[in-house]
Amino acid sequence: MTGIKFAWDAVGGDPALLSRVGTVVRREALEARLPVRELGRACVGACALAAAELGARRAGLAEVPEVRVDDAAVAAAFLSERLLRVDGRAPVSFAPLSRLWRTADGWVRTHANYPHHRTRLLDALKLPRHASPEDVAARFAECSALEAEETVYGAGGLAVALRTPEQWAAHEQSAVLAGRPLVERVRLDSAPARVLAPLADSAPLLPAAGLRVLDLTRVLAGPVATRTLALLGADVLRLDAPRLPELPDLHADTGIGKRSATLDLAVDRRTFEELLAAADVVVTGYRPGALDRFGLSPEALVERRPGLVVAQVSAWGAYGPWAGRRGFDSLVQVATGIATVEGSAERPGALPAQALDHGTGYLLAGAVLRALTEQSHDGGSRSVRLALARTARWLTEVVEHEEAGDVLPNGRSTAVDPRFGERDSVFGRVRYALPAVSFVGGPVDWARPPVPWGTDAPGWD
């Protein structure tokens, strides 16, 4: 329970409520050298407890419902984008140019799943658009890892040099993150207490029912957070720029329970302001400062919509020399020393899941739920902020291996059996991992199937 206790404290939870959490330990779930299983259990547990707490408040329950965190469900949730099936087809994961490459003195990791990132990578390496992985490998072999990192980032692409934990600890960005909490929570003003409509006396208990969430996130961490809020009853509307379509398989996985619309903020500000005027939560997942020019900083948003909860997630954090850099889970693992720890003398390794993305996503959702509960007591617009690299520091320096809880069966687990849901959708017949967030009386599945990117009009239901 030490991991859940740490995560629950990070989102501002009452320690007395930890007695409502039970765990089912499955030792073969998310096996790794680092305590990934414990990280997942802690993040999902804190989120589920925050949901149960808010649900109890809105339903007028005498006590918070019991929370059960099953490692099998957590493992499936952390692998959801890989376990998804559409008409039996496995998803496309990483593109050919998203991988580790040998350099003259080590390794570099690139991310080029999106067409514009692939183009920038090839431009940085002075290669044509039709270049092959072999062409890229030859270019990287000619330079140092740090030189490759700076060259590609300088061209707007994504590449990170492999570092050991000691090298990362000596990096200025690491020092900045070390001085920041795992979850940054700020009260922005003295807006009056939020009046939450009582929940109807019916099953399931949906803590976020009636709340409207603007989802301005991409890829994994942010969409996992908003997918969780959708599970809990929120009306989640994902907004994307028309020129930046999401990867279809990833969108099918993280878009379940949500609606999806496109909106050009530089052109149609009136529509956005109408959406904002009726929103309760705004979640952003772009580089810190990238949306500020559109008036989307937390301070600017709450000035126009007092009482709002603004949640932000980024790769490297909002401060320090890398604050403005793009990043993804795979890159953060390489930069922070995780790939070194999980690898061998011959080749860097990786965590068994995109655990930084998923863990941070559940923590972000938990922080939003706790902010809503706090608002119902003493008001105030709220800002919560997390970073993948800060979660990485928690994993590598704080989280410990632990086996406390109910270990099944007969004292040890012999298998991890994911729980799946299936339903028809516009994509086809989709099979997906069922929710890991679970509490007595709570939802067991999403209300909506996923829809293709940009399907819906930019308006509230």
Side-chain angles (χ1 to χ4, degrees):
M1 285 288 288
T2 57
I4 296 178
K5 181 179 183 299
F6 189 94
W8 183 238
D9 180 70
V11 298
D14 178 358
L17 294 182
L18 288 168
S19 63
R20 307 302 294 165
V21 181
T23 60
V24 178
V25 175
R26 303 183 190 269
R27 292 171 181 156
E28 295 184 5
L30 300 174
E31 286 188 300
R33 291 172 182 163
L34 290 167
V36 180
R37 177 175 58 253
E38 289 78 7
L39 175 84
R41 189 188 302 152
C43 296
V44 171
C47 180
L49 187 54
E53 177 192 30
L54 180 60
R57 178 154 179 79
R58 295 191 65 185
L61 303 181
E63 61 180 357
V64 171
E66 292 184 355
V67 168
R68 194 72 162 171
V69 187
D70 189 324
D71 285 350
V74 173
F78 271 49
L79 293 165
S80 65
E81 75 279 6
R82 304 181 197 180
L83 295 175
L84 177 78
R85 296 293 182 270
V86 179
D87 288 335
R89 177 185 60 80
V92 176
S93 52
F94 287 105
L97 300 189
S98 294
R99 48 169 275 197
L100 283 158
W101 311 86
R102 277 199 176 275
T103 64
D105 63 349
W107 295 86
V108 68
R109 180 64 159 86
T110 57
H111 195 288
N113 283 6
Y114 292 94
H116 59 294
H117 290 156
R118 182 182 188 277
T119 297
R120 292 168 186 172
L121 171 63
L122 294 175
D123 286 347
L125 299 177
K126 295 182 171 54
L127 289 171
R129 298 287 186 271
H130 60 269
S132 67
E134 291 73 22
D135 297 327
V136 174
R139 279 283 197 273
F140 278 130
E142 298 171 349
C143 60
S144 71
L146 289 177
E147 179 186 356
E149 176 181 280
E150 292 304 318
T151 298
V152 175
Y153 261 110
L158 293 112
V160 166
L162 177 72
R163 290 171 172 82
T164 65
E166 294 75 21
Q167 288 170 329
W168 177 246
H171 195 280
E172 186 179 349
Q173 189 64 28
S174 177
V176 170
L177 291 168
R180 296 281 171 179
L182 177 61
V183 181
E184 297 185 38
R185 304 162 46 246
V186 179
R187 177 173 174 153
L188 297 171
D189 60 22
S190 57
R194 177 182 291 276
V195 178
L196 292 167
L199 294 178
D201 185 19
S202 61
L205 179 63
L206 297 173
L211 298 174
R212 290 170 167 171
V213 178
L214 274 179
D215 177 2
L216 281 68
T217 68
R218 293 177 65 79
V219 194
L220 263 182
V224 163
T226 51
R227 181 180 68 184
T228 303
L229 296 175
L231 167 73
L232 299 169
D235 179 8
V236 179
L237 176 64
R238 173 164 166 168
L239 287 181
D240 285 280
R243 68 185 184 282
L244 292 176
E246 184 60 278
L247 303 173
D249 288 341
L250 189 62
H251 190 72
D253 174 56
T254 62
I256 190 166
K258 311 178 192 177
R259 292 178 298 118
S260 173
T262 61
L263 186 69
D264 189 337
L265 293 177
V267 175
D268 194 355
R269 290 306 303 275
R270 179 177 177 178
T271 297
F272 179 80
E273 294 303 321
E274 290 173 351
L275 291 170
L276 176 64
D280 300 287
V281 179
V282 174
V283 185
T284 68
Y286 292 79
R287 288 174 297 139
L291 298 177
D292 289 5
R293 68 184 186 278
F294 299 112
L296 300 183
S297 69
E299 294 78 11
L301 286 168
V302 302
E303 184 176 348
R304 306 197 302 280
R305 175 64 167 159
L308 196 67
V309 174
V310 183
Q312 299 173 295
V313 62
S314 63
W316 307 107
Y319 309 93
W322 281 19
R325 290 196 174 193
R326 298 173 180 86
F328 294 91
D329 183 303
S330 57
L331 301 181
V332 176
Q333 288 190 40
V334 169
T336 60
I338 290 173
T340 301
V341 173
E342 295 292 340
S344 65
E346 292 74 33
R347 186 178 178 83
L351 300 176
Q354 301 283 85
L356 304 179
D357 264 329
H358 285 276
T360 304
Y362 284 106
L363 276 179
L364 188 67
V368 168
L369 295 165
R370 287 247 58 260
L372 291 165
T373 298
E374 290 174 342
Q375 284 184 328
S376 72
H377 290 286
D378 55 9
S381 302
R382 309 280 172 148
S383 169
V384 298
R385 182 158 48 198
L386 290 91
L388 303 189
R390 183 62 183 81
T391 304
R393 182 177 185 273
W394 181 39
L395 173 65
T396 55
E397 299 183 18
V398 179
V399 182
E400 299 177 353
H401 284 290
E402 56 177 299
E403 299 299 346
D406 298 327
V407 185
L408 304 176
N410 300 323
R412 66 184 301 272
S413 171
T414 57
V416 175
D417 183 20
R419 299 175 302 142
F420 294 108
E422 284 195 25
R423 64 175 71 185
D424 292 321
S425 73
V426 179
F427 294 100
R429 185 71 176 174
V430 292
R431 187 199 75 171
Y432 52 93
L434 286 170
V437 170
S438 177
F439 56 92
V440 174
V444 297
D445 203 346
W446 286 270
R448 297 172 181 264
V451 296
W453 182 84
T455 292
D456 299 291
W460 297 113
D461 272 358

